[in-house]
Amino acid sequence: MKLKNERIISEIASQFASMYNERGNLDKAKTYINIALAHPQKQSVSPIYSLAMEIYSKLGETKHTEAYCDSVMKYGNVYGKKFAYQWQTRKALHQYGTLLASPCFEKYSQYTDSIEKITPVGASANANALYNYSLIENTNTELKIENNTQRTFIVKAIFVSIILFLMVVILTIVFLRHKKTLEERLELNKKSLKEAKMLEERANQDKENHLLDKKIATTVIYKDIIKILNSHSKKMVPDWQLLSETVYEIFPMFSSSLYKFKKMSEIELHVCLLLKIGISMKDIAKLVCRSEDSVYSICRRLYKKNFSDEPTAKKWKDLINSL
């Protein structure tokens, strides 16, 4: 198409259309036959129109089929016209019955007879050509005999070389595949061991967290917080000093982990301590005398102060629980 060679475009497109037609991919066949039709060549209009007619007939697009049938009758050779009259006969039989289909069938029969007459003539011509070719070959055979010994030796040498080369290639491929298989097995074993170790660590962590949660639930401050939450008094607040001492005792590394973050206000620290012992955002809001939205804002603000990515309350809560 870059060379704008109409003949080659038409030929290649029609070949693709024929291939997809044979495979039953009619949409692709239609696309390529339309390209071929857009670049028609005088010497190939008959097969192109015949193929277009066949494709559109299979697609059930009668209007286009009729149009290309007319084109085949006008420009096509005997093979194309035979196919066109065959299609018209079927159409007439389907729509109008035997009587109106008779003229189309007669035309179809005439072109069939013409093709049958052409075939013996072509076969005779091929036979003559083969006979002439045999005479030439007999003449050349005498000249070729002198070189047969040397040529046979060269061919055998090349054949042996090719066999040896193929054996080396095959052995190399087998070795590389075996090596790849071993590497894949090794990698799979490493992955399995890593996953098993992670599962074991996760199980240990879950077990440890369960024990810690159970331990927290037995503390005085946790019981006091539950009482405050169950009461209707808005003036009751936890003993923050006792809460911090209890959390730092149960989670020895939590205090040092908090100091790695940017300096927190008193209320921010209280929120972190309550998150660590598993208090919900809604209950934290009651304990720090703020709205639930304010508690969420505090968590987002803490995350934004310490990290550059998008701040969310959940990210800060998960971070605190992981310490």
Side-chain angles (χ1 to χ4, degrees):
M1 288 184 174
K2 286 183 179 180
L3 295 172
K4 298 180 180 179
N5 190 319
E6 300 286 325
R7 181 185 62 79
I8 296 179
I9 292 172
S10 176
E11 181 179 344
I12 293 176
S14 62
Q15 290 289 343
F16 270 101
S18 177
M19 178 186 71
Y20 283 116
N21 178 46
E22 290 174 2
R23 291 183 178 180
N25 191 337
L26 297 179
D27 290 332
K28 284 277 191 180
K30 179 180 176 181
T31 299
Y32 282 103
I33 197 62
N34 286 335
I35 295 173
L37 289 165
H39 304 84
Q41 301 294 306
K42 291 182 180 180
Q43 66 273 20
S44 59
V45 289
S46 178
I48 289 176
Y49 283 134
S50 298
L51 183 57
M53 178 184 165
E54 182 180 349
I55 292 168
Y56 279 99
S57 174
K58 289 180 180 178
L59 287 168
E61 297 184 20
T62 307
K63 185 177 179 181
H64 287 90
T65 308
E66 289 177 347
Y68 291 121
C69 182
D70 293 340
S71 298
V72 170
M73 289 180 177
K74 186 175 180 181
Y75 302 106
N77 54 28
V78 289
Y79 297 94
K81 289 178 181 178
K82 174 192 170 183
F83 179 67
Y85 279 111
Q86 183 186 33
W87 181 82
Q88 283 202 339
T89 301
R90 289 176 180 170
K91 178 187 172 187
L93 282 171
H94 179 71
Q95 293 183 350
Y96 307 111
T98 307
L99 186 61
L100 292 176
S102 181
C104 296
F105 182 74
E106 288 178 4
K107 287 285 189 181
Y108 166 71
S109 299
Q110 291 175 9
Y111 282 105
T112 302
D113 291 338
S114 300
I115 291 170
E116 289 176 356
K117 291 176 182 177
I118 290 170
T119 303
V121 174
S124 177
N126 288 336
N128 289 331
L130 286 172
Y131 176 72
N132 292 331
Y133 178 77
S134 297
L135 290 176
I136 295 170
E137 281 295 303
N138 289 333
T139 303
N140 290 334
T141 299
E142 296 177 0
L143 299 174
K144 292 177 181 178
I145 290 174
E146 298 176 5
N147 298 322
N148 277 348
T149 304
Q150 185 178 359
R151 184 174 298 171
T152 302
F153 174 78
I154 294 172
V155 169
K156 287 182 177 179
I158 293 173
F159 180 75
V160 171
S161 300
I162 291 172
I163 293 297
L164 291 173
F165 174 75
L166 289 175
M167 288 177 65
V168 171
V169 171
I170 291 170
L171 289 172
T172 303
I173 292 172
V174 170
F175 172 76
L176 292 175
R177 285 183 178 177
H178 183 66
K179 182 181 178 183
K180 185 178 180 181
T181 303
L182 291 176
E183 290 175 349
E184 288 175 351
R185 287 180 181 176
L186 182 61
E187 188 65 29
L188 186 62
N189 289 337
K190 287 181 179 179
K191 188 176 180 181
S192 299
L193 288 172
K194 186 177 180 181
E195 289 176 352
K197 187 176 180 181
M198 288 175 63
L199 289 172
E200 184 181 0
E201 290 176 353
R202 188 179 299 172
N204 292 334
Q205 185 65 41
D206 291 342
K207 184 178 179 181
E208 184 180 346
N209 290 339
H210 177 71
L211 292 173
L212 290 173
D213 291 341
K214 192 174 180 181
K215 188 175 181 179
I216 289 171
T218 61
T219 61
V220 174
I221 185 62
Y222 187 84
K223 292 177 181 178
D224 289 345
I225 288 173
I226 298 302
K227 287 180 182 179
I228 294 171
L229 292 173
N230 291 332
S231 71
H232 298 288
S233 175
K234 295 183 179 180
K235 296 181 179 179
M236 295 177 67
V237 292
D239 184 340
W240 300 112
Q241 181 63 30
L242 179 59
L243 175 61
S244 61
E245 290 174 357
T246 303
V247 171
Y248 296 152
E249 180 182 352
I250 296 174
F251 303 98
M253 302 300 295
F254 187 65
S255 175
S256 60
S257 298
L258 284 182
Y259 284 116
K260 292 178 181 178
F261 298 123
K262 293 187 178 179
K263 186 176 180 180
M264 299 182 189
S265 64
E266 186 178 31
I267 190 170
E268 288 174 343
L269 180 60
H270 292 168
V271 169
C272 291
L273 292 171
L274 292 169
L275 284 173
K276 187 61 181 175
I277 64 171
I279 306 299
S280 68
M281 294 285 193
K282 182 179 179 181
D283 290 339
I284 290 174
K286 183 177 180 180
L287 294 169
V288 297
C289 303
R290 296 286 191 279
S291 67
E292 189 175 350
D293 288 339
S294 297
V295 175
Y296 275 97
S297 296
I298 289 170
C299 291
R300 286 194 295 270
R301 184 169 65 248
L302 284 168
Y303 194 88
K304 187 176 181 180
K305 279 199 303 183
N306 292 279
F307 304 99
S308 58
D309 57 339
E310 181 185 0
T312 64
K314 185 178 182 307
K315 286 182 178 180
W316 183 254
K317 180 181 177 182
D318 293 341
L319 178 62
I320 292 298
N321 289 332
S322 68
L323 297 178

